[in-house]
Amino acid sequence: MSFLFLFLLSLAPLFHSSSPLPYPYNTSFHIDCGSSTPSTDSYNISWLPDKFFTGGSTSVVSEPLHFHLQHEKTLRYFPLSSGKKNCYNIPLPAGRYYIRTFTVYDNYDGKSHSPSFDASVEGTLVFSWRSPWPESLTRDGAYSDLFAFVKDGQLDLCFYSIATDPPVIASLEVVQIDPLSYNSAQTGDSYILVNYGRLSPGSSQWGPGFTSDPDAFGRSWQSDSDYRAGKSESAKVITTKEKITGTEKAPNYFPMKLYQSAVTIEGRLEYELPVDAKLDYLVWFHFAEIDSTVKKAGERVFDVLVNDKNVSRVDIFKEVGSFVAYSLNYTEKNLSSSVLNVKLSPVAGAPLICGLENYAMVPADLATVPEQVVAMKALKDSLCVPDRMGWNGDPCAPTDWDAWEGVTCHTNKNGTGLVITQM
Ligand SMILES: *[C@@H]1O[C@H](CO)[C@@H](O)[C@H](O)[C@H]1NC(C)=O
Ligand SMILES: *[C@@H]1O[C@H](CO)[C@@H](O)[C@H](O)[C@H]1NC(C)=O
Ligand SMILES: *[C@@H]1O[C@H](CO)[C@@H](O)[C@H](O)[C@H]1NC(C)=O
Ligand SMILES: *[C@@H]1O[C@H](CO)[C@@H](O)[C@H](O)[C@H]1NC(C)=O
Ligand SMILES: *[C@@H]1O[C@H](CO)[C@@H](O)[C@H](O)[C@H]1NC(C)=O
Ligand SMILES: *[C@@H]1O[C@H](CO)[C@@H](O)[C@H](O)[C@H]1NC(C)=O
């Protein structure tokens, strides 16, 4: 008995030194838009009452019992009397952030008209909602997320009304992430990565907001079953409870759970992911050999093809062995179709995949030159500009919005920023 005790004691420091360092980024906000009280949800996430908004009003979905989380029931909307442009301006340290919104209509205003509006992050257009919304979005709502750099110490998430529709938001979450994640050492800090699919093959939806499974970045992962194409619909699911090594590591902190399930099929495994044309897409593939009957290199080999281009040949065991995470990424440039097709084509054995992520790489739009932003904010305060003028966020960006009523902007001489040319 005492021997066992000593044995455990001597092992303890060993475990300690081999465990990963704690997640070093500690800025996060979970804002329950439209709510006046703080709350903690069933996944132990603490929600702040609504704050940091420039205007608008609050409301509640028409059928609160249809929504199981408190933050999904209350919302903030921005009627035209608040101006065409409204924002959440959140002070936070310069860095990179995961930003997630929950958007729902559920006929909160009794008008049976889902609204058309745009949303921007740091002056770049990221989401466009157009009426009529699909039935599931109208009634159940949807989470949308992206990764963005915030360089000026304040996150600007802005909404722009189309026609006279009031933009609406039910919750806003912001989690600081590693600035080097998702390949930014190569791509730089001027892209916003907008989530077009983050799949966990062989699992149902999990992660923050859906289950209590952790993900340091706050990412949630969805089932792949709706995206499998052709014969792949009948692919076999494999799961394991074994520990997978090489997970939860800087800079991407991919969670272990991602690699504990997979799908596999005799033959070709195929996915079709919906996309919008004319953008570049960053695709991440996640693998782990979690089938213990595969015991050596060469037993499971397959080629990964994106839109029929051969990206890489994969032999998971040869690269990392068993029960170890192995990830790859690929950028598909200037997509011309509305579908991104991924095929795992067998060379030996059956292809297998644990995770698939697809992000649109949205280039950051030009912003108003900093001196003018400061000057315009001072002018707005001294003039007491009425709310309906919508003088919120960047005066000129995004460039395709008529951002501040009565203010005309142009690109400066060397094309590095926007300047106000007329008021
Ligand atoms: C958050 O992290 C920074 C360093 O990244 C540290 O200086 C600060 O003390 C941390 N704050 C808390 C509340 O842990
Ligand atoms: C919930 O979160 C708090 C900190 O936000 C922590 O102290 C507490 O242990 C957590 N409780 C559970 C059940 O995880
Ligand atoms: C696909 O590309 C890999 C190198 O990335 C190569 O080893 C493999 O043979 C190629 N597959 C085919 C079918 O050409
Ligand atoms: C991602 O792709 C870049 C560029 O091709 C490469 O340098 C990097 O090593 C890749 N990372 C992983 C984890 O595959
Ligand atoms: C993207 O493709 C379209 C045609 O599909 C072409 O007109 C355009 O010039 C391309 N853009 C870039 C940056 O390559
Ligand atoms: C562009 O011009 C502005 C002044 O209009 C100047 O402050 C800035 O440094 C210039 N940038 C470059 C890259 O030349």
Side-chain angles (χ1 to χ4, degrees), residues 97-319:
Y97 291 87
Y98 170 79
I99 299 162
R100 176 161 76 170
T101 58
F102 183 67
T103 305
V104 66
Y105 175 60
D106 194 36
N107 201 21
Y108 76 89
D109 56 1
K111 293 180 178 161
S112 302
H113 171 74
S114 50
S116 291
F117 64 93
D118 284 347
S120 72
V121 163
E122 296 299 280
T124 298
L125 177 64
V126 288
F127 303 129
S128 288
W129 306 102
R130 289 295 176 269
S131 187
W133 296 4
E135 178 60 27
S136 71
L137 172 63
T138 302
R139 190 168 145 70
D140 307 328
Y143 287 90
S144 315
D145 69 73
L146 54 84
F147 303 113
F149 287 91
V150 176
K151 299 171 190 170
D152 58 358
Q154 175 177 292
L155 168 67
D156 288 359
L157 170 70
C158 298
F159 299 94
Y160 187 70
S161 161
I162 306 289
T164 58
D165 291 357
V168 60
I169 179 169
S171 74
L172 170 59
E173 296 168 85
V174 179
V175 179
Q176 191 173 13
I177 66 167
D178 193 316
L180 292 176
S181 57
Y182 291 99
N183 227 8
S184 71
Q186 278 91 14
T187 56
D189 61 3
S190 62
Y191 284 102
I192 294 179
L193 299 182
V194 178
N195 177 12
Y196 271 69
R198 184 182 296 118
L199 311 183
S200 179
S203 281
S204 50
Q205 179 109 31
W206 60 274
F210 294 91
T211 65
S212 44
D213 298 296
D215 181 300
F217 285 10
R219 288 166 293 214
S220 66
W221 299 80
Q222 56 188 134
S223 163
D224 68 323
S225 55
D226 289 345
Y227 302 93
R228 268 184 248 145
K231 292 202 181 87
S232 306
E233 278 162 29
S234 59
K236 189 174 107 194
V237 171
I238 313 182
T239 60
T240 180
K241 290 198 162 59
E242 293 280 321
K243 181 176 158 60
I244 311 292
T245 56
T247 61
E248 275 141 53
K249 285 208 166 130
N252 292 305
Y253 296 88
F254 292 121
M256 190 193 304
K257 184 177 166 67
L258 179 63
Y259 301 91
Q260 289 176 318
S261 72
V263 300
T264 181
I265 194 168
E266 299 294 333
R268 199 172 67 192
L269 188 54
E270 186 172 353
Y271 287 95
E272 282 188 347
L273 305 172
V275 289
D276 291 309
K278 295 200 179 66
L279 284 169
D280 294 352
Y281 285 82
L282 176 64
V283 189
W284 279 76
F285 306 92
H286 302 282
F287 308 103
E289 186 48 79
I290 59 173
D291 178 348
S292 47
T293 65
V294 171
K295 289 188 164 35
K296 57 178 195 292
E299 289 185 353
R300 188 196 303 282
V301 183
F302 51 91
D303 285 335
V304 176
L305 294 91
V306 173
N307 283 354
D308 293 320
K309 280 193 286 282
N310 177 12
V311 169
S312 181
R313 178 156 289 187
V314 173
D315 181 336
I316 309 166
F317 194 100
K318 186 173 147 202
E319 294 295 336

Side-chain angles (χ1 to χ4, degrees), residues 2 9 14 38 57 74 158 228 277 281 287 369:
S2 68
L9 207 73
L14 210 105
S57 307
T74 57
C158 298
R228 268 184 248 145
Y281 285 82
F287 308 103
V369 297

Side-chain angles (χ1 to χ4, degrees), residues 13-94:
L14 210 105
F15 276 127
H16 188 79
S17 64
S18 68
S19 70
L21 292 167
Y23 187 64
Y25 304 94
N26 53 19
T27 302
S28 70
F29 293 92
H30 301 270
I31 299 172
D32 182 357
C33 306
S35 167
S36 56
T37 52
S39 61
T40 299
D41 69 19
S42 48
Y43 309 120
N44 201 25
I45 290 179
S46 297
W47 290 85
L48 298 170
D50 203 359
K51 57 201 254 180
F52 304 125
F53 49 82
T54 57
S57 307
T58 64
S59 191
V60 181
V61 292
S62 66
E63 294 169 282
L65 293 178
H66 181 66
F67 298 85
H68 73 294
L69 292 166
Q70 186 57 37
H71 71 261
E72 297 177 341
K73 303 179 195 212
T74 57
L75 50 88
R76 174 162 295 274
Y77 67 101
F78 303 101
L80 218 50
S81 57
S82 301
K84 267 190 101 63
K85 184 179 182 185
N86 273 281
C87 306
Y88 276 81
N89 300 130
I90 306 181
L92 36 70

Side-chain angles (χ1 to χ4, degrees), residues 352-374:
L352 170 149
I353 190 164
C354 298
L356 181 60
E357 297 173 87
N358 185 31
Y359 297 97
M361 300 179 68
V362 179
D365 202 347
L366 289 179
T368 307
V369 297
E371 315 83 76
Q372 288 204 352
V373 174
V374 174

